[in-house]
């Protein structure tokens, strides 16, 4: 293993930790992201890792996009279902 590879493994570890600290990942998610990231880097070198990084970044941004609005819509739908359920005669 050359020095650049060792640095990249440490960078992947730090990125997984940053994902956990940013609350984008759980502990198990951070562990798996490190394992997957390191495996992709070892198997497909820097180009494969950059592609994986692009996927993770865009999927994280997309899942957080308008999250509050989606949560409000889901909450209203759940309240409507519960109201119908509890107000219906048995």
């Amino acid at each position: 293993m050359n020095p650049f590879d060792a640095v990249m493994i440490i960078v992947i570890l730090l990125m997984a930790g940053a994902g956990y600290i940013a609350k984008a990942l759980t502990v198990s998610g951070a562990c798996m992201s490190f394992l997957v990231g390191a495996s992709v880097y070892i198997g497909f070198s820097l180009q494969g890792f950059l592609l994986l990084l692009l996927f993770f970044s865009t999927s994280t941004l997309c899942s957080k996009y308008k999250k509050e609005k989606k949560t409000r819509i889901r909450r209203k739908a759940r309240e409507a279902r519960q109201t119908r359920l509890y107000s219906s005669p048995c």
Side-chain angles (χ1 to χ4, degrees), residues 1 10-12 15 17-18 32 35-36 38 41 44 47 54 61 63 68 71 74 79 82 90:
M1 181 181 282
I10 292 169
V11 167
I12 293 167
M15 291 172 71
M32 287 309 297
L35 291 175
V36 170
Y41 176 73
F44 298 101
Q47 290 83 7
L54 177 67
L61 290 174
S63 66
E68 292 177 22
T71 302
R74 287 185 192 120
E79 288 172 0
Q82 289 175 341
C90 294

Side-chain angles (χ1 to χ4, degrees), residues 58-87:
T58 55
S59 64
T60 301
L61 290 174
C62 288
S63 66
K64 292 192 182 290
Y65 178 70
K66 294 187 179 181
K67 184 177 183 177
E68 292 177 22
K69 182 179 178 182
K70 292 180 218 175
T71 302
R72 251 185 285 121
I73 291 170
R74 287 185 192 120
R75 188 177 301 128
K76 283 183 181 180
R78 184 179 65 233
E79 288 172 0
R81 279 192 313 270
Q82 289 175 341
T83 301
R84 284 192 308 269
L85 176 68
Y86 295 131
S87 64

Side-chain angles (χ1 to χ4, degrees), residues 18-35:
Y20 172 72
I21 290 170
K23 296 183 180 179
L25 298 170
T26 62
V27 173
S28 60
C31 292
M32 287 309 297
S33 70
F34 170 72
L35 291 175

Side-chain angles (χ1 to χ4, degrees), residues 1 4-14 34 37-38 41-42:
M1 181 181 282
F4 182 74
D5 290 343
V7 168
M8 280 303 297
I9 298 298
I10 292 169
V11 167
I12 293 167
L13 180 62
L14 293 173
F34 170 72
Y41 176 73
I42 291 168

